[in-house]
Amino acid sequence: MSDLTKTPVTVITGFLGAGKTTLIRHLMLNPQGKRLAVLVNEFGTMGVDGEILKSCADENCPAENIMELSNGCICCTVADDFIPTLERLMAMPVKPDHILIETSGLALPKPLLKAFDWPAICSRITVDGVIALADAEAVAAGRFAPDEAAVEAQRAADDSLDHETPLSEVFEDQIACADIVLLSKADLAGEDGLAAARAVIEAEAPRKLPILPLTDGVIDPRVILGLGAAAEDDLAARPSHHDGAEDHEHDDFDSVVIELAEIADPGELAARIERLAREQNILRVKGHVAVAGKPMRLLVQAVGERVRHQYDRPWGDGPRASRLVVIAEHDDIDEAAIRAVLAA
C-alpha cells in the first residue's frame, strides 16, 4: 500500500486536565464530513473521559467507534491491547476516515509513536500529527515548567533534587513530540498569561512550533487535522528525556478510586477536593457523584485546586454510584487520608 491509502491518526496529548476531552468533543461535533473513531487511554481503572465522549456519539462517530484502554499506558500494552484495538477499529463494516487517540495525561507520546512501526498496522495507519494541549493559565504561573535558575538553586542546596521533577519531564516530552501546541483555557489566562505561556513553550520546544490559543476546545478542525506529518517516521526530530531507554516507568504516579455516599452540597465537595490539592498534593480528580434529591449525575472534574462540576445526564435505571478517580504522584497517594477528606 502507498501512504495515501493509510488511515490517519491524530494523537492528542497534554497534561492532566488540559482539555483533551473537550477538544475531541468539538471535533466530534465538527467532523468535516469524516467518519471518526476515538481511542481513549485512561490512567486509573474508571473510564470517565470515554463515557463523556460516548454521550456525544452520533452518526459521524457512533458509540461503537469510541474505545477505551483503561489502567495502563498505551505504549506499555502495545501487543495485548493497543494493536488489537486499532485492528478492531479498522475491521469495522464502515472503516473510520480518521482516528483520534486521547492519551493519558501522564503518557509520554514518543513511545506511542514507536508502536506505529508494528507490522500489524504500519502499512495501514499513519500518525497524521501530534497535538499537545497545555493549560495556558498554569504554564504562565510556572507550574510544570520549572524556572532554570530556581532549579539550579535547589540543586545546589539539596543533592536529592539533582534532576527534574516527573511532572516537568512529562510536560517537556509532550511539547517536544508535538506538531502543534494548543494553549487551552486562553480566556482564563488573558493576553499577558498567553504571552507568558507562549514564551515557556517556545523555550521548551526543540524546533519552531505553531502555538495557538484555545477556549472551550473550539478550533477549526482544518488547522489540526490533515497535517500529513507521518510522525512515526520523524522520531529523530522529537527528542525525549527517555531516548535510549529500553522502556519507561509510570511508577511516579498512582491513582485510587473513592466510592462515596450521596452528597447534599456540591459546593462542599468542591471545597474538600480543593483541600486535597492544597494539603495532599493531589493533581487530578474526576468522576460522577449522586446528589440527594437530584435525578441527574454530577460530573466532577478537578485540576489541582480548580474544581468544576455540572449535571451531565440522568442516572436512568442504573445504580446511583458515586465514584471519584484521584491521581497524584506515587508518594502522595494515601488512600485512607484521601477517603477521610472526601467522605467526611
Side-chain angles (χ1 to χ4, degrees):
M1 289 187 181
S2 71
D3 286 349
L4 294 177
T5 65
K6 293 183 178 182
T7 298
V9 172
T10 295
V11 176
I12 299 175
T13 187
F15 204 77
L16 297 163
K20 300 184 295 296
T21 303
T22 302
L23 172 63
I24 291 176
R25 289 177 68 176
H26 173 70
L27 295 175
M28 289 171 62
L29 292 171
N30 300 273
Q32 304 292 300
K34 300 179 186 295
R35 185 176 178 86
L36 301 178
V38 180
L39 177 56
V40 182
N41 185 210
E42 293 269 32
F43 185 85
T45 57
M46 197 172 77
V48 176
D49 294 343
E51 189 170 348
I52 292 172
L53 293 173
K54 286 179 181 177
S55 70
C56 304
D58 58 18
E59 67 275 8
N60 299 307
C61 187
E64 59 268 22
N65 279 27
I66 302 172
M67 298 187 179
E68 300 173 66
L69 294 178
S70 297
N71 201 28
C73 168
I74 290 177
C75 50
C76 295
T77 59
V78 171
D80 294 334
D81 296 310
F82 179 52
I83 300 300
T85 300
L86 282 179
E87 289 182 315
R88 285 199 300 274
L89 285 174
M90 298 296 289
M92 287 186 163
V94 181
K95 191 177 75 170
D97 299 313
H98 202 116
I99 299 172
L100 308 175
I101 296 180
E102 177 185 345
T103 71
S104 157
L106 303 172
L108 302 174
K110 188 169 180 177
L112 172 59
L113 297 189
K114 294 178 180 179
F116 285 87
D117 236 4
W118 277 58
I121 61 169
C122 66
S123 65
R124 295 185 288 162
I125 294 178
T126 182
V127 182
D128 180 68
V130 178
I131 310 301
L133 276 81
D135 184 317
E137 187 181 40
V139 173
R143 296 191 293 275
F144 315 135
D147 177 79
E148 287 188 10
V151 171
E152 288 298 335
Q154 289 177 326
R155 180 180 295 163
D158 186 346
D159 289 340
S160 70
L161 296 175
D162 194 26
H163 53 78
E164 294 176 325
T165 66
L167 295 185
S168 68
E169 287 193 6
V170 172
F171 175 78
E172 291 162 13
D173 275 22
Q174 290 172 348
I175 297 301
C177 202
D179 294 289
I180 293 177
V181 177
L182 301 180
L183 292 175
S184 62
K185 306 183 179 78
D187 55 329
L188 300 179
E191 289 302 320
D192 290 344
L194 284 173
R198 186 175 284 109
V200 171
I201 301 297
E202 289 174 345
E204 297 291 354
R207 62 196 182 284
K208 186 172 179 59
L209 294 173
I211 304 173
L212 307 174
L214 185 75
T215 296
D216 295 330
V218 176
I219 192 168
D220 189 330
R222 294 173 299 177
V223 175
I224 61 174
L225 302 184
L227 300 181
E232 71 276 18
D233 297 327
D234 187 36
L235 296 180
R238 304 166 193 263
S240 164
H241 287 279
H242 302 267
D243 284 342
E246 293 185 2
D247 55 21
H248 61 283
E249 301 291 339
H250 293 287
D251 292 342
D252 294 321
F253 305 97
D254 207 347
S255 68
V256 62
V257 177
I258 304 295
E259 297 188 6
L260 302 174
E262 287 194 357
I263 67 170
D265 183 0
E268 182 181 353
L269 177 62
R272 293 176 184 175
I273 294 172
E274 291 171 8
R275 179 183 163 192
L276 282 178
R278 285 195 305 271
E279 298 179 1
Q280 300 187 41
N281 299 320
I282 298 304
L283 302 173
R284 185 84 161 95
V285 178
K286 56 184 178 179
H288 300 100
V289 175
V291 180
K294 300 292 185 181
M296 299 188 72
R297 302 185 314 181
L298 185 73
L299 171 64
V300 178
Q301 297 268 25
V303 183
E305 292 187 54
R306 185 190 300 152
V307 184
R308 295 185 178 182
H309 51 81
Q310 66 188 64
Y311 294 101
D312 66 342
R313 69 170 177 80
W315 286 101
D317 296 330
R320 291 169 59 90
S322 299
R323 296 189 182 92
L324 294 177
V325 179
V326 180
I327 303 172
E329 292 190 56
H330 181 77
D331 291 344
D332 291 323
I333 287 287
D334 181 336
E335 182 172 350
I338 293 168
R339 191 180 305 278
V341 172
L342 289 178

